[in-house]
C-alpha cells in the first residue's frame, strides 16, 4: 500500500480544550482514514502504488480523468501534514528562523496572523489556509477543497484545515474562533522551523 494512516503525534485529548478528543476521533479516525482508504483503492493497479504521495499529487494534478486520485491523495497528505503542525502548548509568537523571517516578509507577527486568519476565514466552502515558502519568501495562501501547495510546487510550512469537519463539533459555525484558537494555542512552531531549515 502506498499510503498509510499515520498515528497522531499526540494523544487524542492532548489538544483540549482547543480541539477536542471527539473532533480528533472523527477527523483523524474517520475523515483522514477514509481519504487514505479511498486513495489506496483508486491507485491500485494504476502503477502509482509505489510512488510517494507528493509525487502522485504532482503527477495527477489538473488531470480531470484522475481527479478522484488527486482529491484523496492530496487530502491524505494535507491531513498528515496538518497533524504535525499542531501540538499541546503551542501557538503564539514563534521563535527561531521563522520568527525572523515573518518579521522580514510580513512586517510583523500581527500582520502575519491577520493574513492567515483572513485566508482561513474567507476560503469559501471547504479548504485550507497555509504559510508557504515561495521563491524564498514567506507567503500566506488558501486552497479550495483538496488543493495543496504541493500540487503547485510551492513548499508548505504550516496549514490549518478549514473544512467544517475540522471545527464544527467544537466551534459550530464559528470558523474565525477556531482559527484564533489554533493560532494562539496549537501551532507547532518547532515543526514549522524544521520545514524552513
Ligand atoms: Mn480535514
Amino acid at each position: 500500500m502506498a499510503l498509510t494512516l499515520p498515528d497522531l503525534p499526540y494523544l487524542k485529548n492532548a489538544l483540549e480544550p482547543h480541539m477536542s478528543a471527539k473532533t480528533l476521533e472523527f477527523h483523524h479516525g474517520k475523515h483522514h482514514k477514509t481519504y487514505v482508504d479511498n486513495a489506496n483503492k483508486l491507485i491500485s493497479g494504476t502503477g502509482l502504488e509505489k510512488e510517494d504521495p507528493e509525487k502522485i499529487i504532482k503527477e495527477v494534478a489538473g488531470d480531470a480523468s484522475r481527479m478522484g486520485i488527486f482529491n484523496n491523495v492530496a487530502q491524505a497528505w494535507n491531513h498528515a501534514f496538518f497533524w504535525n503542525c499542531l501540538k499541546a502548548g503551542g501557538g503564539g509568537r514563534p521563535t527561531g528562523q521563522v520568527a525572523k523571517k515573518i518579521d522580514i516578509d510580513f512586517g510583523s507577527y500581527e500582520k502575519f496572523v491577520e493574513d492567515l486568519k483572513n485566508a482561513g476565514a474567507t476560503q469559501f466552502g471547504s479548504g485550507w489556509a497555509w504559510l508557504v515558502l515561495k521563491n524564498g519568501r514567506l507567503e500566506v495562501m488558501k486552497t479550495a477543497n483538496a488543493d495543496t501547495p504541493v500540487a503547485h510546487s510551492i513548499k508548505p510550512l504550516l496549514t490549518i484545515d478549514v473544512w467544517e469537519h475540522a471545527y464544527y463539533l467544537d466551534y459550530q459555525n464559528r470558523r474565525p474562533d477556531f482559527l484564533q484558537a489554533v493560532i494562539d494555542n496549537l501551532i507547532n512552531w518547532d515543526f514549522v522551523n524544521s520545514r524552513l531549515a
Side-chain angles (χ1 to χ4, degrees):
M1 296 292 239
L3 282 84
T4 54
L5 180 69
D7 290 336
L8 288 172
Y10 27 74
L11 296 175
K12 275 207 294 273
N13 64 0
L15 306 183
E16 292 188 339
H18 312 292
M19 190 179 289
S20 66
K22 196 81 173 165
T23 285
L24 283 173
E25 184 182 326
F26 279 91
H27 198 177
H28 174 263
K30 307 287 184 193
H31 290 279
H32 188 178
K33 181 177 188 300
T34 299
Y35 296 128
V36 171
D37 290 347
N38 286 340
N40 282 325
K41 276 182 215 153
L42 289 167
I43 62 176
S44 172
T46 63
L48 294 169
E49 298 95 321
K50 291 192 175 70
E51 305 287 0
D52 81 37
E54 290 192 46
K55 193 167 173 203
I56 298 173
I57 289 166
K58 286 176 186 166
E59 180 163 334
V60 306
D63 179 346
S65 72
R66 296 193 286 180
M67 193 181 292
I69 294 177
F70 178 83
N71 284 339
N72 285 283
V73 176
Q75 281 294 80
W77 191 93
N78 289 346
H79 281 87
F81 186 78
F82 178 49
W83 308 134
N84 285 323
C85 291
L86 307 176
K87 72 167 190 178
R93 285 177 182 275
T95 55
Q97 192 57 35
V98 75
K100 291 179 195 150
K101 215 160 158 47
I102 281 173
D103 282 343
I104 294 166
D105 293 340
F106 291 93
S108 68
Y109 171 73
E110 287 74 16
K111 179 65 164 66
F112 156 71
V113 169
E114 183 188 331
D115 287 1
L116 185 64
K117 274 177 65 180
N118 190 48
T122 62
Q123 171 53 42
F124 186 75
S126 296
W128 301 81
W130 304 86
L131 175 67
V132 299
L133 186 66
K134 188 178 173 188
N135 302 321
R137 284 177 61 87
L138 297 185
E139 286 185 20
V140 161
M141 67 183 283
K142 57 186 176 181
T143 59
N145 301 316
D147 196 15
T148 174
V150 173
H152 308 279
S153 294
I154 297 168
K155 185 172 186 177
L157 303 178
L158 165 69
T159 194
I160 304 177
D161 188 343
V162 296
W163 284 57
E164 275 189 356
H165 66 224
Y167 59 86
Y168 214 83
L169 292 176
D170 298 328
Y171 299 86
Q172 290 75 54
N173 60 316
R174 302 188 309 276
R175 190 192 288 184
D177 290 357
F178 163 71
L179 286 160
Q180 189 72 56
V182 171
I183 291 166
D184 288 344
N185 303 285
L186 297 180
I187 291 176
N188 184 346
W189 286 117
D190 296 334
F191 176 71
V192 179
N193 268 311
S194 75
R195 293 281 300 173
L196 190 57

